Each structure stands twice: as structure tokens, then as C-alpha cells.
Amino acid sequence: MEQIYLDYAATTPVVPEVAETVTDCLKKDFGNPSSMHRLGIRAEKRIRKAREQVSRLLQVEPEEIIFTSGGTESNNMAILGTAYDKRRRGKHCITTAIEHPSVLNCFAHLEKMGYEVTYLPVDQKGVISLESLQNALREDTILVSIMHVNNEVGSIEPVQQVASLLDQCKNRPVFHVDGIQSFGKLPLYPKGWGIDLVSLSGHKIHAPKGIGALYRRKGVRIQPILFGGGQQGGIRSGTENITGIVGMGTGADWIAERHAENDRYLYELKEALVSGIRRDFPDVVINGDPENSAPHILNVSFPGAKGEVLLHTLEEEEVYVSTGSACSSREKKISHVLKALGLNDRTADGSIRISLSYLTTPEEIASFLPILSRSVQRVREYTRR
């Protein structure tokens, strides 16, 4: 039985080009980039190249990229670093109800420290309203943090319009965007759009786990949350993870090349997927707005079929999907994202997330659909007993 992996929003496999570059780096350039001898200088050159590769995809300057241990650290650095830096100017922050836990838990921490946080609601498509943001803004608002693409339903937030709105503020808040799910799949140009901070993750673009990055627009101040040897301009201390950094740079190049070859590829796969599911299941509920969401994420509910049971039924056929965010899908409670979209518990409980990559093929989608059909029927029959 051939494996069909459709959980790319959780993580992606390392592609051969990345593995080759990382292996070469492990063998040849193991020096500490802070060392003054030749090995250190070679390692530092590797980092400089990776910084250029990542910055090219965002169309920003290489020196505006700070490497981190992953998306969670990037979000923590952006949110806590800004809140600590701006605490004398104000203690009000704005985010949304559907953010990733690495964002929501930062704000929960800030609330315990005396900050006030406004959580913007979303509509049934999973999108905020600019009017609700406008109404939430105050003179003491220091930070607005809004994800670009939601990791569970793929909704796309209007971050470019948000930046334009913030530009009209007398005391403009810092604008942070969690770009972890959109990086390499959708256009994301922070400098041109007026975004101050963007979080990125390596393992979502076929690079290794344990590496991420934060774009920080030149001139934007944040306080460090890690202290040590003062690497990366004192913002992120700690010896750089050179193999992870090199892998992320190569992953950025790899995904940029795939996107340049056919920027409709993921959309075409998703359209085939949606069309097949709607044909086989007239009662299916597609969560969010599949026609206007990210090209690689689809969240569907099959009434009468519990999502977790369906996941394991598919697993028996070597098909791998998710019931939500991989970071929270082992929790038994209903997804906070689906609740925010207004789904009732029964519909939310019957949802699975199917996510794609440039490695997904049309043949895999064609093979997946009949497996999904018989798996849903099995689960429904089991549930009715």
C-alpha cells in the first residue's frame, strides 16, 4: 500500500536538495560562526548566504532577517520583545481569536503581567473585519499581531489593508504578522506592504525542524528575550544553528523555484480535491472559504463521522491527514478556530484538515478520494451502531 501524506501544514519532509546542502555543511563547515579563524569565517559565509536566500523570497534586506529556533520562538520574540520595549508608551495589544497557540499564549502571559489584549472575532469564512480593528484601536495600542494564513482552515487575513489602516494612526502600533503558513505559498512582501515583523518557520518549507526566522524591519525596536553572547546584533543570543540555517536558505530557494514554475499548481490540486469531495459527499461542510483561502489547506467536516476516528481509519490505509493544528490536535477539546467560525460542536468534531505541498501529485489526489469515500462510510456505519 502506497503512503499518501496530506498533512503538509503540520510539517514537510526535507527535500533532497536541502538534505544534500545540510550534509555538506555538517561535514565541511562545522565551525562556530563567531570564531575568528578560517572555519568560523566559512560558517559565517554560509549564514550570510542563507540570510540572502530567505530575504529574497520576502523582498527585504538580508540584515533584516534574524534566525531563531522556529516559528514559536519567532512569535514569542516579536510579541514579547515589542511589548517589553513599548511598555512605557502603552499596554494595549490587539490580535485575533484564531491565532496559533504560540501567539495566543504569549498574549495570555502579557495579560498576567498587566497588559490588556483585544481579541478580534472572525466571520464564518475565518476573516477579521477592518471595521472591528478600527474600533479596537486606541491611543495606547502598542502592538497589532495578525496571522496571514490560518493554519487550520487556510483563511487569508487582509494584512496589507491592516498595515494601511495602521499607517493612519497618530501613534502607529507595531504590526506583527505570523507568516508561517503563507511563506513560500502566497506573496508576502512586508517591506512593500508596511509590516514591521514577520514570523517564519523552516519545517513548513521542506527545511529541517528547529529553525525559523523573524523579519524585523530596519529601525523597529524589540527587546531580546534570550540573553547570552550577543549574537545576531544582540537580539538573539546563542550560537547559530548553522545546519538548520543553511537548510532553511535552500528550502526557501526550492519553494521559490516551484512557485515560479507554476504558481497555480497548489490551487489546481485543491480545486480537484474540493470538486471530488463535493461530488462524493453532498452533505459535506467545507469550513472557511475554499475559493478564497490559501491554496494548500482544506478543512472539511463530515456530519456523523468523528474526525479523530476518521483520521485513524485513513491511517490504516496509509493516508495521513490532521484533525487541526498539529500543535494542538492531541487535545480532546474542540478547536478554538472552528468555534470562532461559529461551527457547532458536532460539525467541528467531524472535521479533518487536508494540506498539500508541491510534492503532492494529481495522482495522489485521485487515489485519495475513493479511500476517503469508503473511510467516511465505515466511520458513519460504526458511529450508527
Side-chain angles (χ1 to χ4, degrees), residues 336-355:
H336 70 287
V337 175
L338 298 182
K339 275 198 164 186
L341 265 63
L343 270 67
N344 60 46
D345 286 359
R346 183 171 180 268
T347 305
D349 198 36
S351 77
I352 59 169
R353 180 186 67 184
I354 305 161
S355 50

Side-chain angles (χ1 to χ4, degrees), residues 33-343:
S34 297
S35 297
M36 296 180 71
H37 50 63
R38 191 181 305 131
L39 288 178
I41 292 169
R42 278 171 43 180
E44 199 276 333
K45 279 185 179 176
R46 289 264 199 177
I47 292 176
R48 200 183 312 151
K49 180 182 176 184
R51 197 167 266 132
E52 289 170 358
Q53 290 167 312
V54 172
S55 65
R56 195 158 48 232
L57 199 47
L58 294 175
Q59 298 186 359
V60 300
E61 301 299 320
E63 56 269 26
E64 293 176 311
I65 300 298
I66 302 163
F67 287 111
T68 67
S69 64
T72 292
E73 184 187 333
S74 299
N75 282 334
N76 275 253
M77 181 187 289
I79 295 165
L80 301 180
T82 299
Y84 296 161
D85 188 75
K86 303 288 184 290
R87 64 186 184 281
R88 291 183 181 172
R89 203 189 91 190
K91 286 193 169 184
H92 178 240
C93 305
I94 299 173
T95 188
T96 81
I98 61 167
E99 299 293 316
H100 188 273
S102 62
V103 167
L104 292 176
N105 286 329
C106 278
F107 284 113
H109 172 71
L110 289 174
E111 286 179 304
K112 290 177 184 172
M113 296 178 65
Y115 288 78
E116 190 180 347
V117 182
T118 299
Y119 297 89
L120 300 176
V122 295
D123 61 18
Q124 288 185 328
K125 297 177 179 177
V127 180
I128 63 158
S129 103
L130 293 175
E131 186 181 359
S132 67
L133 172 60
Q134 173 89 64
N135 293 336
L137 286 166
R138 308 184 334 203
E139 284 194 5
D140 63 340
T141 304
I142 55 170
L143 171 65
V144 174
S145 178
I146 295 175
M147 64 192 344
H148 189 196
V149 166
N150 180 264
N151 51 304
E152 292 192 37
V153 296
S155 53
I156 301 172
E157 303 303 328
V159 294
Q160 193 172 1
Q161 293 92 321
V162 168
S164 299
L165 181 60
L166 298 183
D167 284 341
Q168 300 169 24
C169 296
K170 184 180 175 185
N171 295 317
R172 187 187 188 279
V174 172
F175 184 29
H176 166 245
V177 169
D178 175 349
I180 290 166
Q181 287 294 345
S182 62
F183 184 53
K185 289 100 174 179
L186 289 174
L188 175 58
Y189 306 125
K191 182 158 286 187
W193 292 0
I195 300 168
D196 300 307
L197 302 161
V198 178
S199 299
L200 310 170
S201 174
H203 75 103
K204 309 295 188 185
I205 58 164
H206 302 277
K209 296 171 183 61
I211 185 67
L214 179 70
Y215 160 76
R216 181 182 59 143
R217 185 171 60 80
K218 203 177 291 182
V220 171
R221 282 184 16 171
I222 58 173
Q223 293 295 314
I225 59 171
L226 287 177
F227 299 92
Q231 289 89 343
Q232 301 198 70
I235 294 297
R236 205 282 182 178
S237 287
T239 302
E240 292 90 339
N241 170 10
I242 180 169
T243 50
I245 290 171
V246 165
M248 186 166 182
T250 307
D253 271 358
W254 184 90
I255 205 160
E257 288 167 12
R258 302 290 90 70
H259 190 262
E261 285 170 5
N262 183 0
D263 62 357
R264 292 291 307 166
Y265 185 75
L266 294 175
Y267 285 105
E268 289 163 3
L269 289 177
K270 185 173 175 180
E271 285 164 9
L273 190 57
V274 171
S275 173
I277 290 175
R278 281 183 168 151
R279 179 196 62 219
D280 294 343
F281 299 97
D283 63 340
V284 71
V285 178
I286 298 187
N287 301 313
D289 183 4
E291 280 75 31
N292 296 292
S293 57
H296 63 299
I297 296 177
L298 180 68
N299 192 304
V300 292
S301 294
F302 299 96
K306 193 175 174 64
E308 185 181 344
V309 178
L310 178 56
L311 178 151
H312 291 301
T313 305
L314 288 167
E315 183 184 3
E316 289 175 7
E317 303 232 27
E318 289 293 320
V319 173
Y320 297 91
V321 299
S322 169
T323 53
S325 164
C327 304
S328 58
S329 58
R330 290 190 179 181
E331 295 184 7
K332 298 297 181 187
K333 62 185 181 184
I334 298 295
S335 154
H336 70 287
V337 175
L338 298 182
K339 275 198 164 186
L341 265 63
L343 270 67

